[in-house]
Tab-separated table of all heavy atoms in Angstrom:
chain	number	residue	atom	x	y	z
A	1275	ALA	N	110.092	-18.824	93.706
A	1275	ALA	CA	108.888	-18.998	94.530
A	1275	ALA	C	108.601	-20.480	94.753
A	1275	ALA	O	108.270	-20.893	95.878
A	1275	ALA	CB	107.696	-18.316	93.864
A	1276	GLN	N	108.748	-21.290	93.702
A	1276	GLN	CA	108.547	-22.738	93.845
A	1276	GLN	C	109.578	-23.325	94.803
A	1276	GLN	O	109.251	-24.182	95.633
A	1276	GLN	CB	108.634	-23.419	92.482
A	1276	GLN	CG	107.463	-23.129	91.575
A	1276	GLN	CD	107.639	-23.787	90.205
A	1276	GLN	OE1	108.382	-24.751	90.066
A	1276	GLN	NE2	106.947	-23.252	89.211
A	1277	HIS	N	110.815	-22.870	94.684
A	1277	HIS	CA	111.879	-23.347	95.571
A	1277	HIS	C	111.560	-22.989	97.018
A	1277	HIS	O	111.714	-23.812	97.920
A	1277	HIS	CB	113.222	-22.747	95.156
A	1277	HIS	CG	114.324	-23.080	96.111
A	1277	HIS	ND1	114.626	-22.278	97.188
A	1277	HIS	CD2	115.174	-24.138	96.175
A	1277	HIS	CE1	115.614	-22.824	97.872
A	1277	HIS	NE2	115.970	-23.949	97.276
A	1278	ASP	N	111.117	-21.768	97.260
A	1278	ASP	CA	110.799	-21.328	98.614
A	1278	ASP	C	109.663	-22.161	99.209
A	1278	ASP	O	109.717	-22.551	100.381
A	1278	ASP	CB	110.434	-19.843	98.623
A	1278	ASP	CG	111.619	-18.945	98.274
A	1278	ASP	OD1	112.774	-19.424	98.312
A	1278	ASP	OD2	111.375	-17.761	97.947
A	1279	GLU	N	108.637	-22.445	98.408
A	1279	GLU	CA	107.518	-23.276	98.878
A	1279	GLU	C	107.992	-24.688	99.205
A	1279	GLU	O	107.613	-25.268	100.230
A	1279	GLU	CB	106.418	-23.330	97.825
A	1279	GLU	CG	105.681	-22.017	97.625
A	1279	GLU	CD	104.718	-22.060	96.441
A	1279	GLU	OE1	104.480	-23.164	95.886
A	1279	GLU	OE2	104.215	-20.990	96.057
A	1280	THR	N	108.819	-25.242	98.334
A	1280	THR	CA	109.340	-26.593	98.551
A	1280	THR	C	110.227	-26.641	99.793
A	1280	THR	O	110.133	-27.581	100.592
A	1280	THR	CB	110.132	-27.063	97.313
A	1280	THR	OG1	109.271	-27.038	96.175
A	1280	THR	CG2	110.658	-28.472	97.494
A	1281	ALA	N	111.047	-25.630	99.983
A	1281	ALA	CA	111.917	-25.581	101.159
A	1281	ALA	C	111.076	-25.480	102.437
A	1281	ALA	O	111.401	-26.121	103.447
A	1281	ALA	CB	112.877	-24.406	101.051
A	1282	ALA	N	110.007	-24.703	102.398
A	1282	ALA	CA	109.135	-24.581	103.573
A	1282	ALA	C	108.453	-25.914	103.881
A	1282	ALA	O	108.376	-26.329	105.047
A	1282	ALA	CB	108.091	-23.495	103.342
A	1283	ARG	N	107.971	-26.609	102.861
A	1283	ARG	CA	107.351	-27.933	103.066
A	1283	ARG	C	108.364	-28.919	103.619
A	1283	ARG	O	108.070	-29.703	104.523
A	1283	ARG	CB	106.757	-28.458	101.761
A	1283	ARG	CG	105.415	-27.866	101.421
A	1283	ARG	CD	104.692	-28.677	100.345
A	1283	ARG	NE	105.511	-28.931	99.179
A	1283	ARG	CZ	105.493	-28.213	98.059
A	1283	ARG	NH1	104.700	-27.184	97.942
A	1283	ARG	NH2	106.269	-28.536	97.052
A	1284	ALA	N	109.597	-28.879	103.081
A	1284	ALA	CA	110.635	-29.791	103.549
A	1284	ALA	C	110.962	-29.522	105.017
A	1284	ALA	O	111.155	-30.457	105.798
A	1284	ALA	CB	111.898	-29.653	102.688
A	1285	GLY	N	111.001	-28.260	105.405
A	1285	GLY	CA	111.246	-27.928	106.807
A	1285	GLY	C	110.146	-28.467	107.704
A	1285	GLY	O	110.424	-29.012	108.782
A	1286	GLY	N	108.914	-28.339	107.271
A	1286	GLY	CA	107.798	-28.887	108.040
A	1286	GLY	C	107.870	-30.399	108.150
A	1286	GLY	O	107.612	-30.973	109.216
A	1287	LEU	N	108.244	-31.053	107.066
A	1287	LEU	CA	108.377	-32.514	107.087
A	1287	LEU	C	109.527	-32.953	107.987
A	1287	LEU	O	109.404	-33.940	108.720
A	1287	LEU	CB	108.575	-33.050	105.670
A	1287	LEU	CG	107.344	-32.960	104.760
A	1287	LEU	CD1	107.727	-33.352	103.340
A	1287	LEU	CD2	106.215	-33.821	105.277
A	1288	ARG	N	110.635	-32.215	107.974
A	1288	ARG	CA	111.744	-32.535	108.880
A	1288	ARG	C	111.293	-32.435	110.334
A	1288	ARG	O	111.640	-33.272	111.163
A	1288	ARG	CB	112.931	-31.613	108.623
A	1288	ARG	CG	113.839	-32.064	107.496
A	1288	ARG	CD	115.147	-31.281	107.468
A	1288	ARG	NE	114.950	-29.884	107.094
A	1288	ARG	CZ	114.850	-29.445	105.845
A	1288	ARG	NH1	114.939	-30.291	104.844
A	1288	ARG	NH2	114.688	-28.167	105.596
A	1289	HIS	N	110.501	-31.407	110.638
A	1289	HIS	CA	109.986	-31.239	111.995
A	1289	HIS	C	109.082	-32.415	112.373
A	1289	HIS	O	109.187	-32.960	113.471
A	1289	HIS	CB	109.220	-29.919	112.104
A	1289	HIS	CG	108.593	-29.706	113.437
A	1289	HIS	ND1	109.319	-29.387	114.557
A	1289	HIS	CD2	107.302	-29.793	113.832
A	1289	HIS	CE1	108.500	-29.279	115.593
A	1289	HIS	NE2	107.272	-29.517	115.180
A	1290	GLN	N	108.196	-32.814	111.479
A	1290	GLN	CA	107.310	-33.953	111.740
A	1290	GLN	C	108.102	-35.237	111.940
A	1290	GLN	O	107.792	-36.039	112.828
A	1290	GLN	CB	106.310	-34.138	110.598
A	1290	GLN	CG	105.221	-33.099	110.565
A	1290	GLN	CD	104.252	-33.335	109.416
A	1290	GLN	OE1	104.510	-34.128	108.507
A	1290	GLN	NE2	103.139	-32.640	109.443
A	1291	ILE	N	109.121	-35.450	111.131
A	1291	ILE	CA	109.951	-36.652	111.248
A	1291	ILE	C	110.653	-36.677	112.597
A	1291	ILE	O	110.691	-37.715	113.270
A	1291	ILE	CB	110.960	-36.736	110.086
A	1291	ILE	CG1	110.231	-37.080	108.788
A	1291	ILE	CG2	112.052	-37.760	110.372
A	1291	ILE	CD1	111.074	-36.921	107.541
A	1292	ALA	N	111.194	-35.537	113.025
A	1292	ALA	CA	111.870	-35.471	114.323
A	1292	ALA	C	110.876	-35.776	115.451
A	1292	ALA	O	111.198	-36.521	116.383
A	1292	ALA	CB	112.503	-34.097	114.519
A	1293	HIS	N	109.673	-35.223	115.353
A	1293	HIS	CA	108.647	-35.467	116.371
A	1293	HIS	C	108.256	-36.950	116.404
A	1293	HIS	O	108.160	-37.549	117.484
A	1293	HIS	CB	107.419	-34.597	116.094
A	1293	HIS	CG	106.279	-34.854	117.017
A	1293	HIS	ND1	106.276	-34.435	118.332
A	1293	HIS	CD2	105.114	-35.503	116.832
A	1293	HIS	CE1	105.150	-34.819	118.906
A	1293	HIS	NE2	104.428	-35.466	118.018
A	1294	LEU	N	108.047	-37.534	115.253
A	1294	LEU	CA	107.654	-38.945	115.186
A	1294	LEU	C	108.791	-39.860	115.653
A	1294	LEU	O	108.537	-40.875	116.312
A	1294	LEU	CB	107.225	-39.303	113.767
A	1294	LEU	CG	105.905	-38.671	113.314
A	1294	LEU	CD1	105.678	-38.930	111.826
A	1294	LEU	CD2	104.737	-39.192	114.128
A	1295	ALA	N	110.022	-39.504	115.347
A	1295	ALA	CA	111.155	-40.309	115.805
A	1295	ALA	C	111.250	-40.274	117.329
A	1295	ALA	O	111.502	-41.304	117.967
A	1295	ALA	CB	112.453	-39.806	115.172
A	1296	ALA	N	111.017	-39.107	117.921
A	1296	ALA	CA	111.041	-38.999	119.382
A	1296	ALA	C	109.905	-39.809	120.000
A	1296	ALA	O	110.092	-40.499	121.012
A	1296	ALA	CB	110.941	-37.537	119.800
A	1297	ALA	N	108.724	-39.751	119.391
A	1297	ALA	CA	107.588	-40.522	119.888
A	1297	ALA	C	107.858	-42.022	119.774
A	1297	ALA	O	107.505	-42.799	120.674
A	1297	ALA	CB	106.316	-40.151	119.125
A	1298	LEU	N	108.488	-42.450	118.690
A	1298	LEU	CA	108.825	-43.859	118.509
A	1298	LEU	C	109.826	-44.311	119.565
A	1298	LEU	O	109.679	-45.391	120.152
A	1298	LEU	CB	109.380	-44.101	117.111
A	1298	LEU	CG	109.816	-45.523	116.784
A	1298	LEU	CD1	108.647	-46.494	116.919
A	1298	LEU	CD2	110.395	-45.587	115.384
A	1299	THR	N	110.829	-43.491	119.834
A	1299	THR	CA	111.819	-43.820	120.851
A	1299	THR	C	111.155	-43.968	122.216
A	1299	THR	O	111.437	-44.916	122.963
A	1299	THR	CB	112.919	-42.736	120.902
A	1299	THR	OG1	113.555	-42.678	119.629
A	1299	THR	CG2	113.940	-43.030	121.976
A	1300	GLU	N	110.247	-43.047	122.543
A	1300	GLU	CA	109.535	-43.121	123.820
A	1300	GLU	C	108.666	-44.374	123.885
A	1300	GLU	O	108.617	-45.061	124.903
A	1300	GLU	CB	108.674	-41.879	124.009
A	1300	GLU	CG	107.926	-41.860	125.324
A	1300	GLU	CD	107.062	-40.623	125.501
A	1300	GLU	OE1	107.280	-39.629	124.795
A	1300	GLU	OE2	106.168	-40.668	126.360
A	1301	THR	N	107.993	-44.695	122.799
A	1301	THR	CA	107.140	-45.884	122.757
A	1301	THR	C	107.968	-47.151	122.930
A	1301	THR	O	107.571	-48.069	123.661
A	1301	THR	CB	106.360	-45.936	121.426
A	1301	THR	OG1	105.558	-44.753	121.328
A	1301	THR	CG2	105.470	-47.161	121.341
A	1302	GLU	N	109.116	-47.219	122.271
A	1302	GLU	CA	109.988	-48.388	122.415
A	1302	GLU	C	110.461	-48.542	123.857
A	1302	GLU	O	110.523	-49.658	124.374
A	1302	GLU	CB	111.174	-48.283	121.457
A	1302	GLU	CG	110.792	-48.483	120.009
A	1302	GLU	CD	111.929	-48.192	119.047
A	1302	GLU	OE1	112.857	-47.429	119.404
A	1302	GLU	OE2	111.891	-48.731	117.923
A	1303	ALA	N	110.780	-47.430	124.508
A	1303	ALA	CA	111.212	-47.485	125.912
A	1303	ALA	C	110.073	-47.983	126.800
A	1303	ALA	O	110.289	-48.801	127.706
A	1303	ALA	CB	111.688	-46.113	126.370
A	1304	ARG	N	108.868	-47.510	126.553
A	1304	ARG	CA	107.715	-47.963	127.345
A	1304	ARG	C	107.434	-49.447	127.119
A	1304	ARG	O	107.090	-50.170	128.057
A	1304	ARG	CB	106.481	-47.138	127.009
A	1304	ARG	CG	106.556	-45.735	127.549
A	1304	ARG	CD	105.315	-44.953	127.244
A	1304	ARG	NE	105.426	-43.606	127.772
A	1304	ARG	CZ	104.394	-42.843	128.012
A	1304	ARG	NH1	103.173	-43.269	127.797
A	1304	ARG	NH2	104.578	-41.629	128.474
A	1305	LEU	N	107.571	-49.896	125.888
A	1305	LEU	CA	107.375	-51.319	125.604
A	1305	LEU	C	108.415	-52.169	126.316
A	1305	LEU	O	108.103	-53.251	126.823
A	1305	LEU	CB	107.408	-51.572	124.095
A	1305	LEU	CG	106.174	-51.122	123.320
A	1305	LEU	CD1	106.422	-51.262	121.821
A	1305	LEU	CD2	104.948	-51.905	123.732
A	1306	ALA	N	109.643	-51.688	126.351
A	1306	ALA	CA	110.695	-52.417	127.061
A	1306	ALA	C	110.372	-52.483	128.551
A	1306	ALA	O	110.544	-53.535	129.187
A	1306	ALA	CB	112.049	-51.743	126.837
A	1307	ASP	N	109.881	-51.378	129.117
A	1307	ASP	CA	109.474	-51.370	130.526
A	1307	ASP	C	108.335	-52.359	130.772
A	1307	ASP	O	108.331	-53.068	131.781
A	1307	ASP	CB	109.039	-49.974	130.970
A	1307	ASP	CG	110.197	-48.997	131.095
A	1307	ASP	OD1	111.354	-49.449	131.130
A	1307	ASP	OD2	109.925	-47.781	131.154
A	1308	LEU	N	107.376	-52.393	129.858
A	1308	LEU	CA	106.260	-53.331	130.003
A	1308	LEU	C	106.731	-54.777	129.931
A	1308	LEU	O	106.256	-55.635	130.683
A	1308	LEU	CB	105.196	-53.069	128.936
A	1308	LEU	CG	104.352	-51.818	129.134
A	1308	LEU	CD1	103.485	-51.578	127.907
A	1308	LEU	CD2	103.495	-51.939	130.379
A	1309	ALA	N	107.673	-55.052	129.041
A	1309	ALA	CA	108.200	-56.412	128.929
A	1309	ALA	C	108.919	-56.809	130.212
A	1309	ALA	O	108.771	-57.944	130.693
A	1309	ALA	CB	109.149	-56.512	127.732
A	1310	THR	N	109.672	-55.879	130.790
A	1310	THR	CA	110.357	-56.151	132.049
A	1310	THR	C	109.347	-56.401	133.162
A	1310	THR	O	109.507	-57.327	133.966
A	1310	THR	CB	111.281	-54.966	132.421
A	1310	THR	OG1	112.217	-54.784	131.361
A	1310	THR	CG2	112.004	-55.218	133.720
A	1311	THR	N	108.297	-55.589	133.210
A	1311	THR	CA	107.255	-55.754	134.225
A	1311	THR	C	106.552	-57.095	134.064
A	1311	THR	O	106.309	-57.810	135.048
A	1311	THR	CB	106.236	-54.601	134.134
A	1311	THR	OG1	106.927	-53.365	134.323
A	1311	THR	CG2	105.152	-54.743	135.176
A	1312	ARG	N	106.234	-57.438	132.821
A	1312	ARG	CA	105.567	-58.719	132.558
A	1312	ARG	C	106.434	-59.886	133.013
A	1312	ARG	O	105.958	-60.841	133.619
A	1312	ARG	CB	105.237	-58.857	131.077
A	1312	ARG	CG	104.616	-60.211	130.734
A	1312	ARG	CD	104.283	-60.307	129.285
A	1312	ARG	NE	103.010	-59.616	129.113
A	1312	ARG	CZ	102.415	-59.461	127.949
A	1312	ARG	NH1	102.969	-59.922	126.857
A	1312	ARG	NH2	101.268	-58.849	127.866
A	1313	LYS	N	107.734	-59.789	132.744
A	1313	LYS	CA	108.651	-60.852	133.145
A	1313	LYS	C	108.704	-60.958	134.669
A	1313	LYS	O	108.670	-62.069	135.228
A	1313	LYS	CB	110.047	-60.579	132.586
A	1313	LYS	CG	111.052	-61.660	132.895
A	1313	LYS	CD	112.399	-61.351	132.267
A	1313	LYS	CE	113.396	-62.429	132.630
A	1313	LYS	NZ	114.730	-62.146	132.108
A	1314	ALA	N	108.770	-59.820	135.352
A	1314	ALA	CA	108.805	-59.830	136.821
A	1314	ALA	C	107.522	-60.421	137.388
A	1314	ALA	O	107.556	-61.215	138.342
A	1314	ALA	CB	109.015	-58.419	137.352
A	1315	ILE	N	106.384	-60.073	136.824
A	1315	ILE	CA	105.103	-60.618	137.290
A	1315	ILE	C	105.059	-62.116	137.053
A	1315	ILE	O	104.606	-62.882	137.913
A	1315	ILE	CB	103.924	-59.902	136.608
A	1315	ILE	CG1	103.817	-58.469	137.133
A	1315	ILE	CG2	102.621	-60.651	136.826
A	1315	ILE	CD1	102.830	-57.604	136.380
A	1316	ALA	N	105.530	-62.560	135.879
A	1316	ALA	CA	105.531	-63.994	135.577
A	1316	ALA	C	106.406	-64.760	136.564
A	1316	ALA	O	106.067	-65.882	136.963
A	1316	ALA	CB	106.009	-64.229	134.147
A	1317	GLU	N	107.510	-64.169	136.971
A	1317	GLU	CA	108.395	-64.828	137.934
A	1317	GLU	C	107.775	-64.883	139.330
A	1317	GLU	O	108.017	-65.815	140.085
A	1317	GLU	CB	109.746	-64.110	137.982
A	1317	GLU	CG	110.565	-64.309	136.725
A	1317	GLU	CD	111.827	-63.446	136.698
A	1317	GLU	OE1	112.039	-62.657	137.647
A	1317	GLU	OE2	112.574	-63.566	135.726
A	1318	LEU	N	106.961	-63.893	139.679
A	1318	LEU	CA	106.341	-63.833	140.999
A	1318	LEU	C	105.032	-64.610	141.087
A	1318	LEU	O	104.605	-64.978	142.180
A	1318	LEU	CB	106.088	-62.382	141.402
A	1318	LEU	CG	107.335	-61.525	141.630
A	1318	LEU	CD1	106.934	-60.075	141.835
A	1318	LEU	CD2	108.132	-62.039	142.813
A	1319	ALA	N	104.394	-64.828	139.931
A	1319	ALA	CA	103.099	-65.519	139.909
A	1319	ALA	C	103.300	-66.973	140.321
A	1319	ALA	O	104.291	-67.606	139.974
A	1319	ALA	CB	102.482	-65.442	138.520
A	1320	PRO	N	102.349	-67.505	141.064
A	1320	PRO	CA	102.461	-68.907	141.476
A	1320	PRO	C	102.404	-69.843	140.267
A	1320	PRO	O	101.737	-69.569	139.281
A	1320	PRO	CB	101.272	-69.120	142.394
A	1320	PRO	CG	100.364	-67.970	142.183
A	1320	PRO	CD	101.157	-66.864	141.561
A	1321	ALA	N	103.129	-70.937	140.362
A	1321	ALA	CA	103.148	-71.935	139.290
A	1321	ALA	C	101.782	-72.583	139.175
A	1321	ALA	O	101.067	-72.751	140.153
A	1321	ALA	CB	104.211	-72.989	139.572
């Protein structure tokens, strides 16, 4: 019974880790897009 409870908790934690890893990947991609946009704006902005 203890093993079954621990296995169920571990499965839930694996699911949370996968979700958080996907969210982190998406956030990193958005940050990269923002950095590219900022660079383009800086190049277009008047001196």
